[in-house]
């Protein structure tokens, strides 16, 4: 196979820490880039409707390649031979590690190279500590040092490398479940790292839901906690006197940064002290409510279990260190190749034993459900490749290893209190404590804890709230970023409790929700005002009229009578899930030539959601023509020279004010594919770029054509502005004018020397950055972007063309910029998507088994880009939510996945028969207006079904369950069987 590695196939990222970094796409069987090139021509019909996904043919034909599909021989310039490696892992985390005994392998299966921590340490191969990530994010060591206790179960202690695949495979099988290979020493108890963080969100609202808060995180402060053992300690008390937060990393997925805790403590001590006074007032109000017969105080403990993401592609990678050229070649499975490249450069920058001048990273499509977001695995691959003796080293988990080493969803213990007025049904107080088990590696545990706390309100307005969350270190396997990201755990318990409140008050469950639902202009529990109309009331009104809900009591009586031994139930739940990270970025370049061919280079990465399809549909909807040629997963834009300090969450206002004076500075560079961010946040840049060309290229070009001829042309007798311009069938029209094919307008734009290409970068901190640019041919223009470059048409003046020196574009320095104030970090989130679910099921009273018979979903999507992709997301999310509610569960410690014996023979996933695959229906809320943006629904689609199932089981058997999953054993116990 011959593959041309050119500028098109290798996209240069730039120089990081003095290392040249390049990111490219894995080649497929036809020597085309996975996410680049012309692609199919008939995936979209002439009217702009999507016939099938842009990448569908490649997907079903086996051409959609994953990193797992590649060996060294498949990659140009790599050696034809391939080494293979696997880990020996600790299955105990309470004794010291004293070495490995490979006698079981005999002389015939010994590795070509055995690598221990001491080898890595001696060669300077150390754990990456990246800017924007907490110091303990990836842990201390790749392998456990001799004499130390592993920090978590399943932690690698040795790496075995083989040049021969057959020997490798035989050795790996022989050691798979072998005991006594790892030698342990003295009993020490757990050796976990310090706990990962504690945060508290306290709010006392104003006189009305729309009034400013008396106290809130948004206007005052998030309260940071320290620890006394595993107990959180809040200001003004702390073990060391002056309160010093354990961590001030406030990221919600993505980069971040950690400022000096003492400095932060001094800056925020006074507002945190006032926050604790507010928390004390809330506790007094709860105590008073307990003594007040007009109030209901419901206190419950809940639990949400640890589960595996079970992504199609297990963690894997292939790396080759070319000592001669000092080049590190890496094939990685990652949701954020940009972050992998950046952290890899930092990992190797000071290594003298294996000096690296260039990193070449190849990535392809992956599916990770968040679990490949900032995973440690690519860095294990890099560490391994230095010991391949000149050969590439492949490290790839099988399913046993993925269960043992892969990132998990956090288990959460919850204590929640809801106070409501018995007469009105209005909620008054929400108090919650959320204890997340982060395992023995930090990852995003503290961030997930914060998101859990800020999501706990679900769809409801609470005048007073006190929501605390902690992320504890433990010997359990690593937990981190995963679909749901803390919200599924917290909101499920809230929704189960709301049903119980309704029963206690004698109010219909949907009606109680309606009385308390968040509406436009209401503040959330952080004191921030969410974006736009949440759609909760409309969704509840629709659900209340659905036949499943209206007829539930009659249907139960009839079913139970006709089916002895089975009990019928219907349950409802509704949630609103945040989307975005609080430091969302997007970047692309969009242009057209004189023949009307549209080209787009875009940062979006395909992870199975159809994002590459959707971004092209956005362009078509705004320009009237889909791109003819695209490049996705672009990690460097020569068109957009940018610099960043990588700390969007911890930069102070003064620092931001100083940094933004540099026209090249941005708070953060490129996005990871996470937090349901593609449709709205990443698509925002696509919409801005297409809108820019629509207004500044298509409009003046079309106006020029319509002005041709005698007496000022056809447009002269009327009055038309850019607001009247429309994309119509056949091209560009509006205002009663002749419809112009896109190609004709493009040709005119080039003749006039107009702007025919735009590249931009956007940044949001729960508010979009805007900047003013003085663009030749246009003048001063305000754009929702912080960096902008333009490309001029063929007919532009020579002096304009000479300005196009940034990747063929003219970089326009912003004349002014308005970055969102850093205080908006405290908003937690302002963008939400609502979803609801009605579930019909029956319970077998002999076996405790649950049969889901039917479910109906409601989803608020805003303006759908591709309805079929939304449907696919919904169906997949429902299956994942059903698995979480009923069957998926991993023990945390010695009998859990860290012992290396877990696979799908022990871990149950839902099948088609479990999810009512032929009896599921859905309704979608209409967008609020034709200009309503799309909402991020990738995670919310799995949330409400969890509590809806729990509430349906309660309707069926009359018992409530607050510990997930709801298994047959738990039901039989509740029924006294």
């Amino acid at each position: 196979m011959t593959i041309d590695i050119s500028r098109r196939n290798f996209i240069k990222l730039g120089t990081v820490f003095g290392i040249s970094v390049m990111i490219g796409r894995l080649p497929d069987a036809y020597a085309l880039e996975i996410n680049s090139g012309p692609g199919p021509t008939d995936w979209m019909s002439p009217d702009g409707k999507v016939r099938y996904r842009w990448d569908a043919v490649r997907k079903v034909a086996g051409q959609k390649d994953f990193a797992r599909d590649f060996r060294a021989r498949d990659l140009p310039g790599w050696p034809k031979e391939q080494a293979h490696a696997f880990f020996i892992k600790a299955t105990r985390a309470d004794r010291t590690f004293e070495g490995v005994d490979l006698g079981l392998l005999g002389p015939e299966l010994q590795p070509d190279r055995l690598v221990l921590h001491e080898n890595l340490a001696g060669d300077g191969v150390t754990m990456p500590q990246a800017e924007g990530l907490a110091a303990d994010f990836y842990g201390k060591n790749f392998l456990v040092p001799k004499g130390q206790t592993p920090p978590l179960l399943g932690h690698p202690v040795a790496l075995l490398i083989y040049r021969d695949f057959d020997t490798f495979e035989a050795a790996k099988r022989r050691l798979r479940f072998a005991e006594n290979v790892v030698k342990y020493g003295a009993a020490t108890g757990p050796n976990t790292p310090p706990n990962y963080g504690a945060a508290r969100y306290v709010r006392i609202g104003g006189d009305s839901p729309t009034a400013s808060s008396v106290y809130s995180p948004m206007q005052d402060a998030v309260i940071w906690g320290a620890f006394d053992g595993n107990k959180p300690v809040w200001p003004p008390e702390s073990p060391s006197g002056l309160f010093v937060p354990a961590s001030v990393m406030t990221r919600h997925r993505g980069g971040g940064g950690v400022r000096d805790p003492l400095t932060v403590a001094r800056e925020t001590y006074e507002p945190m002290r006032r926050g604790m006074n507010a928390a004390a007032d809330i506790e007094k109000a709860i105590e008073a409510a307990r003594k007040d017969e007009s109030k209901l105080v419901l206190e419950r403990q809940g639990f949400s279990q640890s589960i595996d993401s079970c992504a199609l592609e297990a963690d894997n990678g292939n790396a080759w260190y070319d000592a001669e050229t000092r080049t590190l070649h890496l094939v990685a499975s990652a949701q954020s190749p940009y972050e992998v490249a950046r952290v890899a450069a930092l990992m190797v920058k000071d290594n003298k034993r294996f000096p690296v001048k260039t990193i070449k990273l190849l990535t392809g499509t992956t599916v990770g459900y968040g679990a490949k977001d900032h995973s440690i695995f690519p860095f294990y691959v890099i560490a391994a490749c230095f010991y391949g003796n000149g050969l590439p080293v492949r490290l790839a988990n099988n399913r046993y290893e993925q269960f043992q080493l892969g990132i998990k969803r956090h288990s959460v213990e919850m204590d929640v209190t809801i106070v409501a007025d018995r007469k009105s049904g209005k909620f008054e107080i929400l108090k919650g404590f959320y204890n997340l088990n982060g395992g023995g590696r930090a990852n995003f545990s503290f961030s997930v804890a914060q998101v859990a706390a800020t999501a706990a309100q679900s769809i409801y307005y609470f005048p007073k709230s006190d929501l605390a969350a902690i992320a504890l270190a433990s010997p359990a396997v690593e937990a981190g970023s995963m679909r749901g990201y803390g919200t599924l755990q917290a909101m499920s318990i809230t929704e189960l409790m709301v049903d119980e409140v309704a029963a206690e008050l004698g109010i219909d469950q949907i009606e109680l929700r309606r009385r308390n639902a968040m509406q436009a202009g209401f503040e959330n529990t952080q004191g921030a005002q969410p974006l736009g109309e949440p759609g909760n009331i409309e969704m509840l009104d629709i659900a209340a009229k659905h036949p499943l809900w209206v007829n539930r009591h009659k249907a139960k009586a009839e079913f139970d009578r006709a089916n002895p031994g089975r009990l019928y139930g219907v349950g409802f739940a509704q949630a609103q899930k945040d989307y975005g990270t609080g430091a969302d970025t997007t970047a692309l370049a969009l242009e057209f030539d004189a023949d009307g061919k549209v080209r787009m280079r875009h940062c979006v990465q395909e992870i199975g959601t159809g994002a590459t399809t959707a971004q092209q549909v956005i362009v078509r909807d705004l320009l009237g023509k889909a791109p003819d040629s695209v490049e996705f997963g672009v990690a460097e834009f020569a068109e957009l020279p940018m610099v960043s300090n990588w700390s969007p969450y911890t930069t102070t206002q003064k620092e931001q004010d100083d940094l933004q004076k540099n026209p090249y500075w941005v708070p953060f560079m490129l996005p990871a594919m996470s937090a349901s961010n593609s449709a709205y946040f990443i698509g925002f840049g696509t919409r801005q770029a297409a809108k820019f060309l629509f207004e500044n290229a298509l409009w003046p070009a079309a106006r020029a054509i319509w002005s041709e001829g005698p007496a000022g042309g056809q447009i002269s007798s009327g009055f038309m502005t850019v607001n009247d311009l429309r994309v119509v069938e056949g091209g560009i029209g509006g205002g009663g004018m002749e419809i112009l094919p896109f190609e004709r307008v493009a040709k005119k734009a080039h003749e006039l020397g107009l702007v025919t290409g735009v590249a931009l970068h956007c940044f949001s901190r729960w508010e979009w950055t805007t900047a003013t640019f003085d663009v030749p041919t246009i003048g001063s223009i305000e754009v929702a972007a912080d960096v902008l470059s333009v490309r001029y048409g063929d007919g532009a003046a020579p002096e304009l063309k000479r300005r196009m020196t940034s990747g063929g574009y003219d970089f326009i320095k912003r004349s002014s910029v308005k970055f969102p104030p850093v205080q908006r970090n405290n908003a937690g989130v302002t963008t939400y998507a609502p979803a609801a679910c009605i579930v019909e099921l029956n319970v077998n009273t002999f076996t405790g088994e649950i049969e889901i018979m039917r479910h109906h979903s409601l989803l608020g999507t805003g303006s759908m880009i591709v309805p079929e992709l939304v449907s696919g997301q919904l169906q997949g999310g429902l299956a994942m939510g059903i698995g979480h509610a009923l069957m998926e569960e991993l023990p945390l410690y010695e009998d859990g996945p860290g012992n290396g014996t877990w696979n799908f023979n022990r871990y149950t996933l839902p099948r088609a028969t479990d999810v009512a695959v032929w009896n599921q229906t859905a309704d979608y809320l209409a967008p609020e207006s034709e200009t309503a943006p799309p909402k991020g629904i990738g995670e919310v689609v799995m949330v409400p079904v969890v509590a809806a199932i729990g509430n349906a089981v309660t309707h069926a058997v009359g018992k409530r369950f607050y510990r997930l999953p709801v298994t047959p054993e738990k039901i039989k116990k509740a029924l006294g069987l």
Side-chain angles (χ1 to χ4, degrees):
M1 178 171 63
T2 301
I3 302 174
D4 173 38
I5 296 296
S6 63
R7 169 72 177 174
R8 182 176 180 79
N9 293 346
F10 260 135
I11 309 300
K12 186 178 180 184
L13 171 61
T15 301
V16 183
F17 309 115
I19 298 171
S20 177
V21 181
M22 305 170 75
I23 295 183
R25 307 298 304 180
L26 281 165
D28 68 19
Y30 292 93
L32 294 172
E33 293 173 292
I34 296 286
N35 287 332
S36 300
T41 57
D42 60 349
W43 66 279
M44 181 184 288
S45 62
D47 64 357
K49 301 297 182 183
V50 175
R51 291 192 175 114
Y52 54 85
R53 282 172 59 136
W54 175 76
D55 57 349
V57 173
R58 291 173 180 173
K59 187 175 183 180
V60 301
Q63 300 163 16
K64 189 172 182 180
D65 298 323
F66 293 81
R68 195 174 190 87
D69 299 324
F70 286 83
R71 307 295 183 271
R73 65 177 179 270
D74 302 317
L75 300 167
W78 286 46
K80 298 305 178 185
E81 296 182 54
Q82 170 79 70
H84 299 266
F86 68 93
F87 288 122
I88 294 174
K89 306 182 188 74
T91 56
R92 300 196 66 167
D94 60 351
R95 289 180 176 270
T96 60
F97 165 67
E98 299 299 340
V100 294
D101 181 358
L102 301 183
L104 186 64
L105 293 178
E108 73 281 4
L109 296 181
Q110 292 296 317
D112 294 300
R113 181 66 191 265
L114 172 66
V115 182
L116 301 172
H117 165 80
E118 289 69 26
N119 303 115
L120 298 177
D123 293 331
V125 180
T126 58
M127 190 69 72
Q129 301 293 339
E131 296 167 327
L133 297 178
D136 59 354
F137 188 88
Y138 291 114
K140 290 184 177 180
N141 301 300
F142 282 115
L143 303 174
V144 178
K146 287 182 181 179
Q148 291 190 18
T149 301
L152 71 157
L153 292 157
H155 196 293
V157 298
L159 178 72
L160 281 63
I161 300 177
Y162 291 81
R163 296 174 66 93
D164 176 70
F165 177 79
D166 292 339
T167 307
F168 154 81
E169 184 64 19
K172 188 173 183 178
R173 286 179 179 274
R174 187 170 294 184
L175 295 182
R176 178 171 291 166
F177 305 120
E179 298 180 357
N180 302 320
V181 174
V182 178
K183 296 187 293 184
Y184 297 100
T188 62
N191 178 36
T192 57
N195 288 323
Y196 305 127
R200 194 163 182 171
Y201 297 81
V202 177
R203 177 181 176 272
I204 294 180
D207 295 335
S208 70
T210 57
S212 297
S213 299
V214 175
Y215 182 94
S216 75
M218 177 72 179
Q219 71 184 29
D220 298 289
V222 176
I223 301 169
W224 307 111
F227 285 95
D228 183 3
N230 285 342
K231 179 182 177 182
V233 183
W234 309 103
E237 303 297 332
S238 80
S240 59
L242 175 65
F243 171 72
V244 179
S247 170
V248 294
M249 179 178 64
T250 61
R251 89 173 53 76
H252 287 252
R253 288 187 247 195
V258 180
R259 295 174 57 211
D260 172 57
L262 186 59
T263 301
V264 175
R266 288 168 176 163
E267 291 176 354
T268 61
Y269 178 81
E270 177 56 28
M272 287 194 295
R273 184 191 63 77
R274 288 190 285 106
M276 290 307 300
N277 288 339
D281 290 341
I282 290 173
E283 184 58 37
K284 290 177 183 177
I286 294 174
E287 287 298 321
R290 289 192 179 100
K291 302 172 185 176
D292 188 341
E293 293 183 355
S294 69
K295 308 297 181 185
L296 170 68
V297 180
L298 184 68
E299 299 172 277
R300 293 292 179 263
Q301 293 181 323
F303 174 76
S304 185
Q305 74 278 25
S306 168
I307 78 161
D308 193 87
S309 70
C310 300
L312 173 66
E313 184 186 27
D315 289 340
N316 69 92
N318 203 345
W320 169 43
Y321 174 64
D322 185 349
E324 183 177 345
T325 63
R326 298 185 176 183
T327 300
L328 173 63
H329 300 263
L330 174 63
V331 172
S333 173
Q335 291 179 216
S336 179
Y338 185 80
E339 282 298 303
V340 171
R342 188 172 72 91
V343 177
L346 189 143
M347 172 184 167
V348 301
K349 70 182 180 72
D350 294 324
N351 192 283
K352 302 297 189 295
R353 175 72 174 82
F354 306 107
V356 175
K357 295 177 63 177
T358 304
I359 296 175
K360 293 184 177 181
L361 170 64
L362 290 171
T363 67
T365 299
T366 192
V367 177
Y369 307 118
K372 288 188 177 69
D373 179 14
H374 291 74
S375 165
I376 191 177
F377 202 87
F379 310 113
Y380 269 122
V381 177
I382 293 172
C385 84
F386 293 129
Y387 300 92
N389 196 26
L391 291 182
V393 177
R394 182 172 185 265
L395 189 63
N397 282 345
N398 60 30
R399 280 297 166 183
Y400 289 104
E401 293 168 312
Q402 186 64 23
F403 272 102
Q404 191 175 27
L405 192 60
I407 296 172
K408 305 295 180 277
R409 178 177 293 147
H410 289 81
S411 69
V412 188
E413 294 277 1
M414 292 163 269
D415 296 290
V416 184
T417 301
I418 294 178
V419 177
D421 180 78
R422 289 186 178 275
K423 183 177 181 181
S424 67
K426 286 295 187 74
F427 296 158
E428 296 181 350
I429 300 172
L430 174 66
K431 182 175 181 178
F433 178 72
Y434 303 87
N435 182 344
L436 279 72
N437 189 320
R441 188 176 290 120
N443 199 275
F444 280 125
S445 288
F446 186 30
S447 173
V448 176
Q450 292 173 258
V451 174
T454 58
Q457 71 182 90
S458 188
I459 67 168
Y460 310 109
Y461 174 75
F462 289 92
K464 297 178 181 179
S465 53
D466 179 4
L467 302 166
I470 63 174
L472 297 182
S474 80
V477 295
E478 174 184 7
S481 174
M482 191 173 157
R483 196 176 196 181
Y485 209 81
T487 66
L488 177 144
Q489 298 97 310
M491 284 193 289
S492 293
I493 301 304
T494 301
E495 281 298 290
L496 292 169
M497 289 182 66
V498 167
D499 253 42
E500 186 171 359
V501 170
E504 288 289 328
L505 298 182
I507 302 174
D508 175 87
Q509 294 96 322
I510 292 181
E511 172 58 26
L512 179 67
R513 287 174 167 86
R514 195 182 190 285
R515 296 183 191 182
N516 290 284
M518 288 276 291
Q519 300 179 47
F522 286 19
E523 286 190 356
N524 62 19
T525 52
Q526 299 84 256
Q529 194 172 124
L531 172 67
E533 169 55 56
N536 290 317
I537 298 293
E538 179 185 0
M539 186 170 285
L540 290 165
D541 288 345
I542 294 172
K545 298 175 184 176
H546 194 277
L548 274 177
W549 186 254
V550 172
N551 301 322
R552 66 192 185 282
H553 298 307
K554 178 182 177 184
K556 178 173 176 55
E558 293 174 351
F559 183 95
D560 291 357
R561 189 166 50 248
N563 297 274
R566 291 182 179 270
L567 297 175
Y568 175 98
V570 171
F572 174 81
Q574 187 162 317
Q576 58 179 19
K577 170 72 176 65
D578 66 288
Y579 55 95
T581 69
D584 289 283
T585 62
T586 179
L588 75 152
L590 181 65
E591 63 184 55
F592 59 85
D593 64 19
D595 295 324
K597 300 294 184 183
V598 179
R599 179 173 180 260
M600 180 167 68
R601 300 177 68 244
H602 207 296
C603 67
V604 77
Q605 169 94 346
E606 182 60 72
I607 60 170
T609 61
T612 54
T613 299
Q615 300 302 320
Q616 295 183 79
V617 173
I618 291 172
V619 173
R620 194 275 167 196
D621 288 347
L622 287 169
L623 292 187
K625 191 174 192 300
D628 298 281
S629 179
V630 290
E631 294 179 31
F632 291 116
V634 177
E636 185 272 341
F637 291 86
E639 305 93 330
L640 297 169
M642 296 180 287
V643 296
S644 179
N645 63 330
W646 308 103
S647 298
Y649 302 103
T650 56
T651 298
T652 67
Q653 189 62 53
K654 182 181 184 305
E655 289 169 342
Q656 178 170 288
D657 292 343
D658 291 338
L659 287 166
Q660 71 182 36
K661 295 174 184 176
N662 179 353
Y664 299 94
W665 179 80
V666 294
F668 202 68
M669 297 285 258
L670 295 179
M673 291 303 299
S674 61
S676 303
N677 62 356
S678 66
Y680 175 66
F681 286 102
I682 294 178
F684 182 87
T686 311
R687 288 185 286 275
Q688 296 308 305
K691 179 184 176 184
F692 188 94
L693 292 180
F694 183 80
E695 295 178 350
N696 299 296
L698 301 190
W699 163 238
R703 184 178 56 196
I705 295 172
W706 290 327
S707 299
E708 293 174 350
Q714 58 184 284
I715 199 174
S716 63
S717 297
F719 179 78
M720 184 178 180
T721 70
V722 66
N723 295 326
D724 301 310
L725 196 67
R726 294 289 185 275
V727 169
V728 297
E729 187 173 349
I732 305 299
M737 296 297 106
E738 171 193 6
I739 296 174
L740 305 175
F742 181 87
E743 292 75 11
R744 184 179 174 188
V745 179
K747 182 178 180 181
K748 176 59 73 172
H750 272 272
E751 289 177 358
L752 297 174
L754 301 174
V755 168
T756 57
V758 61
L760 48 76
H761 176 274
C762 305
F763 173 79
S764 170
R765 184 185 286 122
W766 309 122
E767 176 185 328
W768 288 103
T769 299
T770 59
T772 301
F773 302 88
D774 295 321
V775 183
T777 75
I778 296 176
S780 180
I781 183 172
E782 185 178 46
V783 183
D786 50 13
V787 182
L788 178 78
S789 295
V790 297
R791 183 176 179 86
Y792 305 110
D794 296 343
E799 59 268 23
L800 290 182
K801 291 187 175 182
R802 285 194 292 269
R803 293 169 56 112
M804 298 192 302
T805 58
S806 297
Y809 278 65
D810 179 12
F811 171 71
I812 309 295
K813 293 183 179 180
R814 58 199 183 217
S815 53
S816 64
V817 65
K818 181 185 177 184
F819 285 104
V822 300
Q823 184 71 12
R824 287 191 69 82
N825 282 321
N826 290 354
V829 66
T830 63
T831 48
Y832 296 95
C837 192
I838 307 173
V839 171
E840 178 190 51
L841 54 75
N842 71 81
V843 178
N844 186 316
T845 59
F846 297 101
T847 66
E849 293 177 346
I850 296 171
E851 177 190 12
I852 294 180
M853 303 160 63
R854 185 183 307 274
H855 48 85
H856 180 75
S857 296
L858 296 160
L859 189 59
T861 64
S863 295
M864 281 191 277
I865 304 171
V866 183
E868 294 81 1
L869 291 178
V870 173
S871 177
Q873 286 285 296
L874 178 60
Q875 292 172 53
L878 285 164
M880 294 180 75
I882 290 169
H884 190 95
L886 297 179
M887 56 197 71
E888 295 184 62
E889 184 173 22
L890 288 169
L892 287 171
Y893 299 115
E894 286 77 10
D895 56 346
N899 67 21
T901 66
W902 280 77
N903 204 328
F904 290 121
N905 62 328
R906 302 181 66 184
Y907 187 85
T908 304
L909 283 174
R911 276 73 167 174
T913 54
D914 301 313
V915 301
V917 67
W918 302 117
N919 291 310
Q920 52 182 282
T921 53
D923 285 326
Y924 303 95
L925 299 188
E928 295 76 14
S929 68
E930 64 172 332
T931 58
K935 296 180 180 180
I937 53 87
E939 292 178 278
V940 71
V941 289
M942 71 175 298
V943 177
V945 68
V946 176
I949 289 171
N951 290 330
V953 171
T954 297
H955 183 223
V957 304
K959 304 292 183 180
R960 297 193 182 275
F961 299 86
Y962 283 104
R963 298 188 71 84
L964 300 174
V966 183
T967 61
E969 291 73 23
K970 291 177 182 176
I971 288 179
K972 288 194 293 182
K973 182 178 180 180
L975 294 178
L977 301 177

